[in-house]
Amino acid sequence: ETGVTQTPRHLVMGMTNKKSLKCEQHLGHNAMYWYKQSAKKPLELMFVYSLEERVENNSVPSRFSPECPNSSHLFLHLHTLQPEDSALYLCASSRGDRVDRGYTFGSGTRLTVV
Amino acid sequence: DAKTTQPNSMESNEEEPVHLPCNHSTISGTDYIHWYRQLPSQGPEYVIHGLTSNVNNRMASLAIAEDRKSSTLILHRATLRDAAVYYCIPPYIFGKGTRLHILP
């Protein structure tokens, strides 16, 4: 266990479904991140939250909607996804958004869109 | 954004040292250089980071070039458990990394 917990570990959803991914950390970190990892591609940064405010949104389609209700929890709400959105979604946290001290990653949610 | 260049893959024999290179010629003067590794079915794991000086920890050593345009991750005695994809990153941006194969 890394201290960053992601649920569920696996998710299969239809293109018309709505689902949410959850990330939780109790490391005292104040920045949280969503990354997407597709097969044979580098990790892509999706969203950055620092002190519960979104500080970066890397041109992610609106069918992905993040939510950070407090510094320990991060959600990724999904709706009307496409098959190409199938990927490993990774959450990470750090102490401060300059990541001088490095990230701690969760184990990811493996998402399959059918 | 700073970009990195790493070999796609490398091989090493078990219990021998491994030197994993990374070029990051566009890194800014204040960005730390981080190294992570990712084992199958897991998220990336922090290995080491540094700014200008060489760094050592229980997992590895990091040698940073004087001009900061490149760095080398050193695993002193590779084991089979070190087989992973190794990423060298300036903040936020991951490249494709180096897939390290360890031969028994």
Side-chain angles (χ1 to χ4, degrees):
Chain A
E1 289 298 326
T2 66
V4 178
T5 304
Q6 290 187 243
T7 53
R9 291 295 304 272
H10 300 273
L11 177 63
V12 179
M13 61 185 287
M15 289 190 283
T16 58
N17 291 158
K18 289 186 181 180
K19 296 284 184 185
S20 296
L21 310 185
K22 180 182 177 182
C23 177
E24 187 172 355
Q25 60 90 10
H26 296 288
L27 301 169
H29 291 172
N30 56 17
M32 296 187 79
Y33 312 80
W34 281 116
Y35 277 88
K36 175 184 177 182
Q37 188 172 33
S38 305
K40 300 182 181 179
K41 282 187 172 181
L43 277 80
E44 301 170 57
L45 178 65
M46 299 176 73
F47 301 105
V48 180
Y49 276 83
S50 176
L51 298 173
E52 301 149 44
E53 285 193 26
R54 192 189 311 179
V55 297
E56 187 147 342
N57 174 349
N58 267 5
S59 303
V60 179
S62 59
R63 57 186 183 268
F64 295 91
S65 174
E67 178 190 1
C68 187
N70 55 61
S71 59
S72 299
H73 294 86
L74 184 66
F75 295 89
L76 188 63
H77 303 300
L78 316 171
H79 65 96
T80 59
L81 294 193
Q82 304 297 313
E84 60 264 29
D85 297 321
S86 299
L88 180 68
Y89 288 84
L90 289 158
C91 172
S93 68
S94 69
R95 198 180 311 166
D97 65 354
R98 278 189 51 81
V99 299
D100 291 354
R101 295 178 182 266
Y103 299 101
T104 301
F105 280 87
S107 298
T109 295
R110 173 74 59 188
L111 173 68
T112 304
V113 181
V114 296
Chain B
D1 291 330
K3 293 184 180 177
T4 60
T5 304
Q6 297 178 255
N8 287 336
S9 66
M10 291 182 63
E11 273 187 2
S12 178
N13 294 318
E14 198 175 7
E15 298 195 3
E16 290 190 357
V18 182
H19 291 236
L20 296 162
C22 180
N23 289 323
H24 34 75
S25 57
T26 60
I27 197 170
S28 79
T30 55
D31 283 337
Y32 280 73
I33 299 151
H34 288 78
W35 283 81
Y36 289 79
R37 70 181 186 182
Q38 188 173 19
L39 281 69
S41 303
Q42 293 186 27
E45 172 191 29
Y46 168 83
V47 178
I48 201 166
H49 78 289
L51 186 62
T52 56
S53 305
N54 294 343
V55 183
N56 300 295
N57 66 21
R58 63 175 179 80
M59 291 180 71
S61 295
L62 177 61
I64 301 172
E66 203 168 320
D67 61 9
R68 289 186 17 97
K69 293 184 177 182
S70 65
S71 62
T72 302
L73 179 70
I74 302 164
L75 307 178
H76 295 286
R77 286 184 68 221
T79 69
L80 295 177
R81 288 178 296 178
D82 292 321
V85 178
Y86 285 79
Y87 297 97
C88 147
I89 67 163
Y92 304 150
I93 310 298
F94 283 76
K96 293 185 177 180
T98 297
R99 184 171 297 278
L100 178 63
H101 302 274
I102 304 297
L103 306 175

